[in-house]
């Protein structure tokens, strides 16, 4: 009951803070920017083509093409190459003056040669001084293969039109390509879990702030136990996260993202926030000031993000055994509409419960100690030895000997 | 002289701050990690490189036993695919996604080919490429056989285009860690600008820490009482931070060169990142004026840096033709062009103007706000 008083007080304070509202709105605008980026990226993916997570820099490398009959130029990829079609003398001078990475020379009588069934000999000058040479070579190679295939087919049509039957190829694909899964599933999962990491500063402000502002003494003097304080403060932040996640989910669903089992997904994300806030409270309870706590959560959050994301990526690449430990994997399975086994459900929830129990117990124990809250603060080693009972053992041995 | 004293004190603070030094150290791992990731992913998507590294045992393709020693099996083998034979085509198909990555079959009645492939496999792009190549070759061979041409004619029809590569400047060739298009695109197209701008993300934090920290420690008023103008105070604070960031960027340029990712036109890049840095630090100063505590400054700077990341890095991954004229002026796009080209068009320097102007405006606003802040505080 006392915890709820603290929760109400903290929550009211948060909502009445203009700065919190500003930060909250900025976070929403970041989400909208991410949605725009995501939609733009997905819009650029051509159906049936392999998806690669590479930059899409127009004109990254450059090539000049001497192609009087405009035979080859249209086969080159203008998304990667900056293609200039020009006459030989200008093109050669440009290439000599290092204005381009490559120079492709197509014979001036290319069409006549094709008509005469003669092989087309093309010259590709490549500037090896330029690191983008492999890009130019690869693009010319692809264009040459595709043009070769067109010419061969045309020749065969003319040589032997009656014998052109060839086996057809029918390709069936199983599942979603890995890069597309990474973009689709990981992106949605990251957007859903992101609010969980945006409130670390609030936890620090709420717990370390009491120490820095010297209000912890007043708080401790009130008829509240350390567990009331820690749990009450944490609950206020979990409620704030719950509001933010619901808002983000509404925005994502309105933007057309397909999130199946939305309620279960929501509950699991909120459930995951409980141990994260617990761990953050643990750091905040031990740290002396904002700076120290800030560094502490930066490192711990890297570990938590790793714990959530790495198994999720392992699940996408087909490894199923270890991937079940992460709640993010379960969330991905839920919003993709996959069948959930008991193991899929039990392991992450068990981890959430165990980590929550441990982290909140440690936070409460730390907040109970005057030396941790008011100083002089004991070192982490000392706390650890105390926890495993070594210090009591030493004391016992000393008392026996003396 | 007065500015120098303040700058020296700030530099001393930075160099004695273990957290900043730790962050610099962490950046080395980021550079090495990004380079390693680009290297591994380039190898994983290049069929020729994978053949060189002999990882083709993983490229398992299922066929029915009837197709053993068939021309189709030969064409698949020529692409270095690991063929696994099953009793029936149905068995092969049922193993896709578990035992094999793909199953290929020919219908005896029509001679049509069916391919079933698991797209979730990490090797899907390579296997798909290899199977397509094998099937194209097979189809072409069938077509040529049916055409009634003799062997010399077939050879000619098979290869209507012959591209001869003429290597120029081979003696002076760019020494790149992996001569592969994907590696070159991902390194120069994203990782190089990301690494070079990384220190400036830290710089914004140092600025807010320095200014807001002074206020929190109640030393800000003392600083403003010294015989220094607001401009001198701002300059004294930002010079060491800017230098600290620029030195890091230069160190990453050396590290990248050492890793055999040559960075071209370093002096021009240095000029560009100097102005980008000025902009970043200016934003840090403005934010410091708007917030009351380090905690608020940290939250605000995190959000601003997320916005900056969007503005600077999203243009590298999206292709919006009607915005190309603007996107080409984004500093990261300029860094890509300059760092990857041994010879740049001098006209490209003109494209720096918007970045320089914006940075100078941000810096001017920062100085003005600083003066305003001084008036309010005192």
């Amino acid at each position: 009951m006392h915890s709820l008083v603290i929760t109400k007080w903290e929550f009211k304070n948060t909502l009445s803070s203009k700065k919190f509202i500003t930060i909250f709105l900025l976070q929403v605008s970041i989400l909208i920017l991410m949605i725009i980026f995501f939609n733009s990226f997905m819009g650029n993916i051509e159906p049936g083509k392999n998806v690669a997570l590479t930059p899409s820099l127009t004109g990254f490398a450059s090539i000049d093409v001497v192609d009087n009959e405009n035979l080859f130029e249209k086969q080159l990829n203008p998304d990667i190459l900056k293609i200039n079609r020009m006459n030989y003398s200008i093109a050669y001078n440009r290439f000599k003056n290092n204005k381009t990475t490559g120079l492709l020379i197509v014979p001036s009588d290319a069409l006549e040669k094709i008509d005469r069934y003669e092989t087309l000999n093309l010259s590709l000058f490549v500037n090896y001084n330029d690191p983008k040479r492999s890009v130019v070579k690869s693009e010319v190679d692809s264009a040459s293969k595709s043009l070769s295939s067109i010419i061969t087919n045309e020749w065969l049509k003319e040589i032997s039109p009656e014998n052109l039957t060839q086996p057809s190829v029918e390709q069936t694909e199983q599942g979603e390509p890995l890069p597309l899964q990474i973009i689709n599933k990981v992106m949605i999962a990251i957007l859903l879990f992101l609010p969980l990491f945006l409130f670390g500063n609030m936890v620090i402000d709420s717990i370390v702030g009491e120490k820095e502002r010297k209000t912890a003494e007043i708080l401790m003097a009130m008829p509240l136990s350390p567990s009331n304080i820690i749990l009450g403060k944490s609950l206020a932040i979990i409620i704030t996260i719950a509001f933010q996640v619901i808002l983000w989910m509404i925005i994502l669903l309105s933007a057309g993202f397909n999130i199946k089992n939305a309620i279960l997904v929501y509950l699991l994300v909120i459930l995951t926030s409980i141990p994260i806030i617990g761990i953050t409270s643990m750091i905040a309870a031990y740290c002396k000031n904002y700076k120290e706590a800030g560094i502490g959560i930066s490192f711990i959050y890297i570990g938590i993000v790793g714990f959530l994301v790495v198994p999720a990526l392992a699940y996408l690449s087909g490894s199923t055994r270890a991937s079940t430990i992460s709640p993010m994997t379960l969330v991905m399975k839920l919003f993709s509409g996959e069948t959930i086994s008991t193991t899929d459900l039990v392991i992450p929830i068990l981890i959430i419960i165990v980590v929550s129990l441990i982290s909140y117990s440690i936070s409460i124990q730390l907040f109970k100690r005057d030396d941790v809250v008011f100083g002089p603060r004991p070192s982490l080693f000392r706390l650890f030895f105390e926890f495993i009972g070594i210090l009591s053992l030493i004391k016992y041995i000393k008392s026996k000997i003396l | 002289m007065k500015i120098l004293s303040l700058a020296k004190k700030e530099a001393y603070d930075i160099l004695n701050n273990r957290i900043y030094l730790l962050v610099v150290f962490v950046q080395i791992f980021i550079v090495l990690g990004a380079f390693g990731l680009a290297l591994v992913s380039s190898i994983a998507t290049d069929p020729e490189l994978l053949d060189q590294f002999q990882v083709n045992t993983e490229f398992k393709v299922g066929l029915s036993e009837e197709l053993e020693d068939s021309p189709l099996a030969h064409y698949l083998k020529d692409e270095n695919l690991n063929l696994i034979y099953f009793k029936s085509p149905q068995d092969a198909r049922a193993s896709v996604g578990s035992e094999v990555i793909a199953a290929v079959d020919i219908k005896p009645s029509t001679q049509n080919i069916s391919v079933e492939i698991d797209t979730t496999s990490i090797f899907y792009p390579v296997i798909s490429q290899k199977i397509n190549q094998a099937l194209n070759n097979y189809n072409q061979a069938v077509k040529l056989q049916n055409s009634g041409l003799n062997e010399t004619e077939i050879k000619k029809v098979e290869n209507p285009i012959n591209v001869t590569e003429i290597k120029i400047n081979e003696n002076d060739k760019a020494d790149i860690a992996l001569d592969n298009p994907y590696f070159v695109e991902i390194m120069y197209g994203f990782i190089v600008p990301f690494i070079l701008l990384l220190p400036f993300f830290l710089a914004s934090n140092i600025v807010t820490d320095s200014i807001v920290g002074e206020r929190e420690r109640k030393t800000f008023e003392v600083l403003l009482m010294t015989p220094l103008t607001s401009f001198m105070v701002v300059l004294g604070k930002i010079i060491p931070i800017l230098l600290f960031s620029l030195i890091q960027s230069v160190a990453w340029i050396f590290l990248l060169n050492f890793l055999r990712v040559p960075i071209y036109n370093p002096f021009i890049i240095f000029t560009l990142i100097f102005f980008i840095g000025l902009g970043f630090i200016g934003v840090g100063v403005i934010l410091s004026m708007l917030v009351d505590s380090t905690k608020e400054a940290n939250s605000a700077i995190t959000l601003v840096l997320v916005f900056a990341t969007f503005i600077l890095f999203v243009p590298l991954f999206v292709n919006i033709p009607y915005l190309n004229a603007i996107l080409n002026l984004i500093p990261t796009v300029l860094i890509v062009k300059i760092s990857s080209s041994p010879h740049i068009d001098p006209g490209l320097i003109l494209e720096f103007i918007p970045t320089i102007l914006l940075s100078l405006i941000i810096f001017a606003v920062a100085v003005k706000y600083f003066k305003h802040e001084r008036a309010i505080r005192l």
Side-chain angles (χ1 to χ4, degrees), chain A residues 64-78:
Chain A
D64 283 357
V65 185
V66 179
D67 183 7
N68 294 343
E69 279 151 338
N70 198 9
L71 186 74
F72 207 89
E73 190 205 333
K74 50 193 173 196
Q75 300 296 331
L76 290 165
N77 182 1

Side-chain angles (χ1 to χ4, degrees), chain A residues 226-259:
Chain A
S227 55
N228 287 154
I229 298 168
I230 294 289
L231 294 177
K233 282 176 179 286
S234 302
L235 188 61
I237 291 153
I238 291 167
I239 293 171
T240 317
I241 290 176
F243 271 111
Q244 175 128 343
V245 174
I246 206 159
L247 183 73
W248 285 43
M249 278 184 80
I250 291 168
I251 294 173
L252 286 171
L253 288 166
S254 318
F257 284 80
N258 186 14
I259 303 173

